[in-house]
Amino acid sequence: MALHTLKLKSFTGVNNESAEGLLSLDMSPDACNMDTTGGKLRVANGFSRAIAVDFLEHMDTMQRLVVFEWQDEMIYLVCSDRTIYKFNSETNRWQFLYDFYELASDPSVFDFQLAKIGSEEWLIIAYGGDQLLKLSLAESSVSYFGSAAQLSNMTQTHLALYYGRLFAAGNHLYPCRLYWSKAPGDDRSIEDWRSDDSSPNVSGGFVDIGTDSDPITGLFSMSNQLLIFKRDSLYRLIGDRPSNYRILPVDAALTQPIHTACVLRGDRLFFLTKSGLSCYDGQTVVRPYAATAMNGLLKDADLSICKAVSCGDKLYFAIRESEDATYNDALLEYDVVRGCWMIRRGFETVDMSSSHNKLYILTGDEKLCIFDDSTTYDGLAIDAYWTTPFLDMGSKIDDKQAIEAYASGSDRLKIEVDYGSGSRTSQMDLVNNEVSETMLFGTGRLIRIKLSNISGGTLELDQGIELLFDVQRRIM
């Protein structure tokens, strides 16, 4: 008999692209609802209600969520495929604001931009079904943006604010045309898109991007350029006024994302496609660390309604795994600093929004919640697990018999030993971060270990785990 100790010292993140035999022991081919900050393994925090009132049952399919602070008041705005509602904190009810008389062909194409028109602050809304809308933050009223006289009453889908001007694109009659407003000031406002030959530097105008009819699919403003996604190409606009605007193609081969799968963090734009995570750094498209680690999951996922948001050091991408799900039913969490992934499941995500480093989520069961130190998903138990790769412990010839496990931490731990032809389960009580042990069972040439919480418990392993095996030469 030869005893072999396997030490899982620290935990990093999920990698389901590489073959399991190539993964280091700190990576998992399949893990869910875990937090690996500091190399520890603990059940991730859940979320609780941001407001006590659920959304309206008679609403049509929910599409977008917007959360931000304005004059010390939190603004909660929800758009369905027919209506806009805002939460009224004084009446503690969802307040009807607007009914879309002309629906967009794809109601998930909403885009939003906070801006000043004159001295008043507005939220400008594009949805592709009619001319732009503007929500007065002071009056909580919705009206049309612009006018025919100002040449700004066209249907648009995408918005961006760049050097004080409003840029727009997505008009169904001119799908590759980029519009911009006059520079605000004096008697000018961003609602005026007319050209002005006498003052070209403050003039409104437009330009067709590219040499074909490939439509513009997204606009994103960075500190010194405007990034323009098209279906098959990528461009950037450089300059601070029409007289020095330059539109340059970005030399990058990439799968084009939908605009809701793109998120700005600082002065970098991250976006998710089936080919993995990409980042535009101001010059070109690059791959961040572990960019393709989730490709094993992404190849079968539906990204058609993917939603993305940045909060703190993490990026969140909501995707749909099940064809039966109405909304996105998996949430991918990417730690930008550590360069690692985790998967969240157990709820459906309509949309997300971030304000003051707090993550808000509109769930498929019509709840508006905030991620915090909750131990549940608003009352639903969090089932969390971490799976090691299949391990041969340096020899595919030998049989490995699981004997014991040693760990310290808190709460209860379930250990499942998968030995190929079957699996056996043991449980361990972890108390006061003292070392505990339990018997293990299962024999095979390849062994995989699954660590999970029990009944939604708050499992935490503070110093990894050690596994004892008996390794013997297989009788030929």
Side-chain angles (χ1 to χ4, degrees):
M1 180 178 74
L3 295 180
H4 182 97
T5 300
L6 180 67
K7 297 183 179 181
L8 305 180
K9 296 181 180 180
S10 64
F11 305 88
T12 304
V14 179
N15 185 333
N16 54 40
E17 180 199 32
S18 302
E20 291 190 29
L22 301 178
L23 295 180
S24 60
L25 290 182
D26 64 325
M27 303 296 294
S28 171
D30 183 22
C32 181
N33 292 332
M34 285 293 191
D35 183 350
T36 61
T37 303
K40 297 182 180 181
L41 187 69
R42 58 178 293 271
V43 178
N45 289 339
F47 52 71
S48 57
R49 304 286 183 94
I51 56 176
V53 184
D54 291 348
F55 209 52
L56 304 178
E57 294 182 358
H58 66 270
M59 285 288 292
D60 298 284
T61 304
M62 298 176 292
Q63 298 290 352
R64 301 301 305 274
L65 168 69
V66 183
V67 178
F68 58 93
E69 186 175 4
W70 179 72
Q71 294 187 354
D72 298 327
E73 176 190 2
M74 291 304 300
I75 304 295
Y76 304 103
L77 196 73
V78 172
C79 296
S80 79
D81 52 6
R82 292 200 64 91
T83 50
I84 302 175
Y85 275 77
K86 174 180 175 290
F87 184 72
N88 189 321
S89 57
E90 294 182 357
T91 63
N92 203 35
R93 295 175 61 87
W94 286 97
Q95 174 186 352
F96 169 81
L97 294 183
Y98 192 78
D99 186 3
F100 297 110
Y101 299 103
E102 297 290 338
L103 299 182
S105 57
D106 179 3
S108 65
V109 298
F110 285 98
D111 209 356
F112 308 91
Q113 181 63 62
L114 285 167
K116 273 192 172 184
I117 301 176
S119 60
E120 188 175 350
E121 294 179 271
W122 301 77
L123 179 69
I124 305 171
I125 304 171
Y127 72 101
D130 199 354
Q131 73 183 81
L132 300 176
L133 302 173
K134 57 180 182 180
L135 165 65
S136 169
L137 301 185
E139 303 294 334
S140 291
S141 60
V142 176
S143 56
Y144 281 125
F145 172 95
S147 65
Q150 296 171 309
L151 303 183
S152 54
N153 65 329
M154 293 168 285
T155 299
Q156 303 290 351
T157 305
H158 307 291
L159 300 172
L161 202 64
Y162 175 66
Y163 279 108
R165 299 173 190 261
L166 182 68
F167 284 74
N171 183 277
H172 63 282
L173 296 177
Y174 306 99
C176 58
R177 184 163 292 181
L178 177 69
Y179 298 85
W180 61 83
S181 71
K182 288 186 175 182
D186 297 329
D187 59 347
R188 304 180 304 272
S189 82
I190 60 174
E191 289 189 276
D192 193 345
W193 296 6
R194 294 172 296 180
S195 61
D196 187 344
D197 295 336
S198 63
S199 302
N201 283 334
V202 299
S203 174
F206 65 85
V207 66
D208 289 325
I209 304 297
T211 58
D212 53 26
S213 58
D214 182 22
I216 295 174
T217 58
L219 301 176
F220 299 94
S221 177
M222 306 178 76
S223 63
N224 62 350
Q225 60 190 283
L226 180 71
L227 197 61
I228 306 162
F229 278 96
K230 300 191 73 179
R231 188 170 54 199
D232 298 317
S233 53
L234 183 61
Y235 291 83
R236 55 177 179 158
L237 181 148
I238 300 175
D240 61 355
R241 65 197 66 182
S243 62
N244 64 15
Y245 284 166
R246 289 183 298 152
I247 298 173
L248 307 172
V250 176
D251 184 15
L254 71 154
T255 304
Q256 295 296 323
I258 63 171
H259 80 281
T260 55
C262 304
V263 57
L264 278 166
R265 184 179 187 272
D267 212 26
R268 293 185 295 169
L269 182 75
F270 292 84
F271 52 93
L272 187 70
T273 68
K274 283 185 175 293
S275 62
L277 182 65
S278 298
C279 172
Y280 179 74
D281 63 1
Q283 294 293 326
T284 188
V285 175
V286 297
R287 293 284 199 175
Y289 188 74
T292 60
M294 300 305 300
N295 282 19
L297 183 152
L298 292 174
K299 67 182 179 65
D300 296 322
D302 178 6
L303 303 187
S304 63
I305 56 172
C306 177
K307 304 294 173 58
V309 70
S310 172
C311 185
D313 289 333
K314 296 180 179 179
L315 307 177
Y316 296 87
F317 300 91
I319 65 173
R320 183 160 52 189
E321 290 186 296
S322 171
E323 294 181 356
D324 298 329
T326 302
Y327 301 105
N328 294 304
D329 57 351
L331 186 62
L332 304 186
E333 179 183 280
Y334 179 73
D335 191 314
V336 179
V337 176
R338 297 168 61 219
C340 59
W341 292 91
M342 181 51 61
I343 307 168
R344 300 288 199 104
R345 296 189 182 99
F347 53 91
E348 287 192 350
T349 302
V350 178
D351 199 7
M352 301 168 290
S353 189
S354 175
S355 180
H356 297 298
N357 280 335
K358 294 181 179 179
L359 179 63
Y360 296 84
I361 178 173
L362 180 63
T363 64
D365 54 358
E366 303 181 338
K367 299 173 183 176
L368 202 161
C369 298
I370 181 171
F371 275 85
D372 52 20
D373 57 0
S374 173
T375 58
T376 66
Y377 289 139
D378 192 42
L380 298 177
I382 299 177
D383 295 323
Y385 62 86
W386 176 278
T387 305
T388 70
F390 266 117
L391 307 167
D392 61 15
M393 300 177 203
S395 174
K396 291 181 172 62
I397 301 174
D398 298 334
D399 279 329
K400 295 89 182 173
Q401 178 184 353
I403 300 177
E404 288 182 315
Y406 306 87
S408 62
S410 59
D411 206 77
R412 301 175 66 200
L413 169 66
K414 182 169 74 173
I415 306 174
E416 181 180 346
V417 180
D418 183 347
Y419 47 91
S421 60
S423 63
R424 297 286 297 274
T425 300
S426 303
Q427 295 185 9
M428 181 187 297
D429 290 326
L430 303 175
V431 182
N432 298 327
N433 293 321
E434 297 178 356
V435 176
S436 301
E437 61 187 68
T438 190
M439 300 292 293
L440 299 179
F441 307 93
T443 303
R445 288 190 177 187
L446 296 175
I447 297 288
R448 182 162 56 190
I449 305 297
K450 182 178 181 179
L451 310 174
S452 56
N453 66 340
I454 299 175
S455 301
T458 57
L459 169 68
E460 180 174 349
L461 300 181
D462 62 351
Q463 296 183 45
I465 186 171
E466 294 187 17
L467 307 166
L468 182 63
F469 295 88
D470 174 18
V471 179
Q472 295 189 7
R473 178 61 57 88
R474 184 180 179 88
I475 299 175
M476 304 301 290

